[in-house]
Amino acid sequence: MRHIISLLMENESGALSRVAGLFSARGYNIESLTVAPTEDATLSRMTIVTRGSEDVIEQITKQLNKLIDVVKVQDLSDGSHIERELMLVKVRASGDLREEMKRMADIFRGRIIDVTDKTYTVELTGPGSKLDAFLQAIDPAAILETVRTGASGIGRGDRIMKI
Amino acid sequence: MADMELTGAEIVVRCLRDEGIKHVFGYPGGAVLNIYDEIYKQTAFEHILVRHEQAAVHAADAYARATGQVGVAIVTSGPGATNAVTGIATAYMDSIPMVVISGQVPTAAIGQDAFQEVDTVGITRPCVKHNFLVKDVRDLASTIKKAFFIAATGRPGPVLVDVPKDITQHSCVYEYPKSVSMRSYNPTSKGHAGQIKKAVQMLLEAKRPMIYTGGGVVLGNAAPQVTELVRLLGSPATSTLMGLGGYPAPDPLFLGMLGMHGTIEANMAMQHCDVLLAVGARFDDRVIGNPKHFAKEARRIIHIDVDPSSISKRVRVDVPIVGEVAQVVEEMLKQLKASKEQPDQTALKAWWTQIELWRAQDCMKYDHTSAKIKPQYVIEKLYEVTGGQAYVTSDVGQHQMWAAQYYPFDQPRRWINSGGLGTMGFGLPAAMGVQMAFPDAQVACVTGEGSIQMNIQELSTCKEWKLPIKVILLNNGYLGMVRQWQEFFYEERYAESYMTSLPDFVKLAEAYGHVGIIVEKPEDVEPALRDAFGKYKDRLVFINFLTDPRENVFPMIPAGKGLSEMILV
């Protein structure tokens, strides 16, 4: 089962490596991991997408909680939540493709943020599945480069993770 | 005076003093020279200079195991730190409270591949409870305070503080914090009241109860409470290798150690009980064997542990209780005493009848008529000669199992061994740590000829400090446990498990300034031990017992098999 786990941790050097090290040492898988400081600069917020049986996920959350730098852990998949991922795609945009790429970007509510004679760079946000769908919808030969952030997640409604 | 600035090196030493530390084990080097200069000037604690950093960490570790206080070791950067890693990992696996202070190259040189530079925080990360790199002298005192706090609370463990050399030169006003509060670290101490109630009810209803205690009972100082609980319930009890002494072994309610080399009665009772209470234990592979086999029998499990991640890790449990074991068991005792219900005596009687049948198989018997020295016999005699009151440290292998099986510890913190990591070379430095803590106690290091050579240089440290340790070498000429597995599982192909050219251990002991004795016949075992603990009471005595090379540790559950699949003699 895919799980999306959110954590708040002390914004200390080496904190990220403690989390990454935990996953590799115990053989857990990381599908994606995003991290950045929060509005409180002493705290970082991390979103980890992982897969595992219920037992494995239980151990992952317990082991994360055990890390001294970790302040709070929440399995967002336990309740309703929103997740978003940002992708930047550089595509061929010459000849017929120029119009086609513009149209596809519009359909997926993407934005073209950089333009040359031959290329567009499209910015796209959404759940991972939408980003996948965009990549499938365009001609694979037209894709020059992609970069994705991995998912960031937050609980819906009153579900708040704060200290 | 209050505002006088101290250097980082002075601060390290002051922190240790203010923490009440009496003994520090270590080895100097470039990056810690400033700290050592301050150690030279002070008298608050003794510094024990070892001969290899691994030994410093093992000694500090054993000091903590024996006393319950946090052990302290100091090592230099680079090779000092890497030599310490085995010791740190050993302490981590057995949850031993310890603070290691390591030197580091100056902050400006970090990342430059400087002389004796290594990423100590990175290398030790997976085998410490936590570690710190101090980048500002103003953080030094509070970091050391945190290190002691983290090491000793919750599930204990080693904490490393890496101190760059320039930080030991910088100065600031010193203040040692009185207390620590960390928003990210608040270990649970009190068990959940509802869960405790459920557990008590379950134990009262049990027809075939079993209590299984681990290292957590020893570390959590819960032996008196657990002992009372076992007796109140009339339940059989067993301990893991790490838990020995948590319940008095000579007591009839005690079924011996469980696990890979546990007794029939302990392992069978684990498998056939209807309610299992696990206290400060973690169902590891050497204890329950194959978890699938273990789970075949229906039983309800109550698990008390201070570390939530130990619960339902290998075995699903019915009543998890997170908290300090002493507090939780104390609360259980209160409720049991107040309850109108009593354990079902008829059911209990039938259960004990079954257990006595298992016990009657006498799985620990061995050949007493042999002309060769049986290692089990040496341990039995050691028990007799020391009146069961010695601190026994061990290395890793067959001798470790025999010591665990044939020296019935009746109190906690007397049996000191590397259970989790299984570190050969632990025994002798561990004995040093114990003897430093208790100069008048009888301290025996049970070892093998393989293990003792992994830290034999410490005989020199023992001489310097006049430590009257008794080294009980069960010398069978083989890496015995390896040999045993090769005999059972590799069709007797003894690959690299036989050592030729062993040193003359008597001369070796004498070369280090100690007493060496060789014992080749069973009838000489007891007199040699009596001499060691009598005539040579104040000396380190190294006894080389030439034991039966073919002797194996029984019972044995092959790796990956279940608790009821034992190989007997």
Side-chain angles (χ1 to χ4, degrees):
Chain A
M1 261 286 280
R2 177 180 183 275
H3 282 253
I4 177 160
I5 295 169
S6 238
L7 49 132
L8 281 171
M9 60 195 305
E10 298 291 353
N11 189 8
E12 301 272 353
S13 67
L16 171 61
S17 67
R18 291 182 205 279
V19 173
L22 167 66
F23 275 74
S24 64
R26 295 196 180 262
Y28 306 141
N29 105 36
I30 298 184
E31 215 157 86
S32 73
L33 185 159
T34 66
V35 59
T38 63
E39 77 283 5
D40 170 356
T42 66
L43 281 176
S44 282
R45 168 93 176 224
M46 189 180 281
T47 308
I48 302 169
V49 179
T50 183
R51 272 177 199 282
S53 63
E54 288 309 308
D55 287 351
V56 168
I57 300 296
E58 181 182 331
Q59 265 301 308
I60 290 176
T61 53
K62 283 176 169 177
Q63 294 290 346
L64 285 169
N65 265 312
K66 201 165 137 181
L67 293 176
I68 305 291
D69 282 338
V70 170
V71 184
K72 221 163 197 179
V73 180
Q74 196 176 59
D75 184 350
L76 287 177
S77 328
D78 282 348
S80 66
H81 65 279
I82 303 160
E83 48 178 285
R84 287 291 180 270
E85 183 176 357
L86 169 71
M87 174 168 71
L88 302 177
V89 199
K90 194 166 285 185
V91 294
R92 275 185 221 286
S94 49
D96 296 346
L97 276 174
R98 205 160 177 88
E99 193 48 37
E100 167 71 5
M101 286 301 167
K102 170 83 175 73
R103 203 162 51 234
M104 291 306 285
D106 289 343
I107 292 171
F108 281 85
R109 294 172 195 257
R111 293 199 303 146
I112 296 170
I113 55 173
D114 187 46
V115 177
T116 70
D117 293 352
K118 291 180 185 139
T119 67
Y120 284 153
T121 300
V122 183
E123 173 196 320
L124 212 63
T125 311
S129 54
K130 173 182 158 182
L131 310 188
D132 294 341
F134 176 77
L135 292 175
Q136 275 157 19
I138 61 176
D139 177 2
I143 301 172
L144 297 170
E145 189 179 348
T146 64
V147 53
R148 297 171 67 151
T149 58
S152 286
I154 196 164
R156 273 192 189 277
D158 294 337
R159 203 172 170 219
I160 288 159
M161 183 160 90
K162 211 171 160 62
I163 57 162
Chain B
M1 276 303 273
D3 290 323
M4 208 179 75
E5 295 205 335
L6 300 185
T7 66
E10 288 173 307
I11 289 173
V12 169
V13 167
R14 282 285 294 271
C15 287
L16 296 178
R17 190 192 82 181
D18 290 350
E19 197 61 44
I21 300 303
K22 295 286 170 238
H23 297 95
V24 171
F25 301 85
Y27 204 105
V32 286
L33 275 174
N34 293 319
I35 296 175
Y36 272 85
D37 197 40
E38 293 307 322
I39 289 176
Y40 185 84
K41 297 176 196 162
Q42 60 82 46
T43 53
F45 57 83
E46 301 251 39
H47 178 278
I48 296 94
L49 171 67
V50 294
R51 302 297 181 260
H52 186 288
E53 287 89 348
Q54 184 188 344
V57 182
H58 288 328
D61 167 325
Y63 185 94
R65 293 181 202 237
T67 63
Q69 294 155 18
V70 180
V72 180
I74 302 182
V75 298
T76 193
S77 66
T82 54
N83 280 345
V85 169
T86 302
I88 296 170
T90 302
Y92 182 63
M93 284 293 271
D94 291 342
S95 308
I96 306 304
M98 184 161 74
V99 169
V100 178
I101 293 173
S102 55
Q104 183 54 277
V105 300
T107 38
I110 290 178
Q112 310 283 315
D113 299 325
F115 176 65
Q116 294 196 326
E117 179 185 0
V118 78
D119 175 9
T120 304
V121 164
I123 284 180
T124 57
R125 188 181 304 117
C127 59
V128 291
K129 184 169 171 187
H130 198 58
N131 57 18
F132 298 93
L133 171 64
V134 181
K135 291 178 181 161
D136 187 326
V137 71
R138 287 167 297 180
D139 297 334
L140 185 55
S142 62
T143 303
I144 292 175
K145 179 73 190 180
K146 272 187 199 166
F148 277 96
F149 174 66
I150 293 168
T153 49
R155 180 177 179 173
V159 179
L160 177 133
V161 183
D162 204 23
V163 187
K165 188 167 186 181
D166 55 325
I167 301 295
T168 66
Q169 286 155 334
H170 297 167
S171 39
C172 69
V173 174
Y174 170 74
E175 193 193 350
Y176 198 59
K178 288 198 175 56
S179 62
V180 183
S181 136
M182 295 172 73
R183 61 181 172 186
S184 64
Y185 176 68
N186 296 295
T188 311
S189 55
K190 279 188 73 179
H192 187 276
Q195 294 291 87
I196 293 175
K197 211 169 148 197
K198 243 201 252 175
V200 167
Q201 196 52 38
M202 207 176 259
L203 285 167
L204 281 169
E205 288 164 9
K207 303 229 176 294
R208 300 184 309 279
M210 176 67 168
I211 298 181
Y212 141 57
T213 74
V217 171
V218 176
L219 294 167
N221 299 315
Q225 291 87 340
V226 168
T227 304
E228 196 184 346
L229 180 73
V230 172
R231 289 179 180 162
L232 201 60
L233 291 169
S235 162
T238 181
S239 288
T240 66
L241 179 67
M242 293 309 299
L244 294 174
Y247 187 86
D251 190 279
L253 296 181
F254 189 69
L255 307 187
M257 182 172 74
L258 84 163
M260 183 174 270
H261 295 296
T263 63
I264 294 180
E265 51 272 31
N267 287 339
M268 294 302 276
M270 283 292 283
Q271 210 56 0
H272 296 284
C273 61
D274 69 339
V275 173
L276 175 63
L277 171 65
V279 192
R282 59 187 176 91
F283 296 89
D284 91 48
D285 55 307
R286 286 300 193 260
V287 168
I288 59 154
N290 185 331
K292 285 204 182 89
H293 183 282
F294 181 78
K296 278 201 310 206
E297 303 292 338
R299 55 170 110 54
R300 289 180 297 170
I301 304 177
I302 305 159
H303 189 179
I304 309 170
D305 205 292
V306 73
D307 175 8
S309 74
S310 281
I311 294 176
S312 291
K313 183 169 73 176
R314 300 192 76 240
V315 165
R316 275 267 144 212
V317 304
D318 303 277
V319 184
I321 306 175
V322 177
E324 283 171 8
V325 287
Q327 184 273 333
V328 174
V329 177
E330 186 77 58
E331 189 53 41
M332 289 170 80
L333 283 170
K334 249 191 250 166
Q335 294 190 16
L336 272 171
K337 286 177 193 163
S339 171
K340 287 188 199 75
E341 291 174 66
Q342 291 289 321
D344 179 344
Q345 294 303 326
T346 321
L348 214 50
K349 210 170 157 214
W351 178 222
W352 272 105
T353 306
Q354 171 62 67
I355 291 169
E356 292 305 340
L357 286 175
W358 288 322
R359 180 134 69 183
Q361 292 184 47
D362 194 12
C363 65
M364 304 274 279
K365 61 178 175 279
Y366 64 92
D367 179 9
H368 280 85
T369 60
S370 171
K372 292 180 180 145
I373 299 175
K374 291 289 178 181
Q376 300 94 323
Y377 177 73
V378 177
I379 304 296
E380 283 182 343
K381 286 293 154 191
L382 175 67
Y383 178 74
E384 272 179 42
V385 169
T386 57
Q389 296 303 302
Y391 286 86
V392 179
T393 73
S394 92
D395 275 295
V396 172
Q398 286 183 319
H399 65 270
Q400 176 190 26
M401 292 301 122
W402 286 316
Q405 290 176 326
Y406 293 91
Y407 198 107
F409 294 92
D410 67 354
Q411 51 190 314
R413 300 193 181 278
R414 291 296 170 115
W415 166 237
I416 300 207
N417 83 127
S418 165
L421 196 67
T423 309
M424 291 171 70
F426 176 80
L428 181 56
M432 297 180 345
V434 176
Q435 193 83 75
M436 285 307 302
F438 301 108
D440 300 324
Q442 298 175 332
V443 180
C445 164
V446 175
T447 186
E449 75 288 350
S451 288
I452 191 67
Q453 292 188 85
M454 285 206 184
N455 264 324
I456 195 139
Q457 76 285 347
E458 295 309 318
L459 286 173
S460 172
T461 312
C462 295
K463 178 65 183 169
E464 186 175 336
W465 288 87
K466 299 190 176 62
L467 302 178
I469 294 162
K470 312 305 171 203
V471 178
I472 310 297
L473 169 58
L474 304 179
N475 182 351
N476 57 8
Y478 280 95
L479 301 176
M481 192 57 93
V482 174
R483 195 207 65 85
Q484 177 168 341
W485 283 53
Q486 288 168 334
E487 179 185 334
F488 290 0
F489 312 121
Y490 295 88
E491 297 165 330
E492 302 187 40
R493 289 186 300 278
Y494 298 122
E496 305 297 320
S497 55
Y498 180 68
M499 281 187 180
T500 59
S501 312
L502 287 173
D504 178 334
F505 285 108
V506 170
K507 279 189 187 158
L508 185 73
E510 288 168 358
Y512 276 108
H514 303 303
V515 178
I517 302 175
I518 185 162
V519 179
E520 298 174 87
K521 293 197 295 276
E523 60 268 32
D524 296 334
V525 168
E526 189 176 337
L529 286 167
R530 295 220 175 269
D531 279 353
F533 288 96
K535 190 160 70 166
Y536 301 120
K537 188 168 150 294
D538 300 326
R539 302 283 303 276
L540 185 147
V541 183
F542 191 122
I543 316 181
N544 181 12
F545 292 98
L546 300 186
T547 61
D548 182 355
R550 303 283 303 175
E551 190 57 42
N552 288 322
V553 180
F554 292 112
M556 179 179 188
I557 301 168
K561 296 279 188 179
L563 275 181
S564 51
E565 300 173 297
M566 279 165 281
I567 303 175
L568 303 172
V569 182

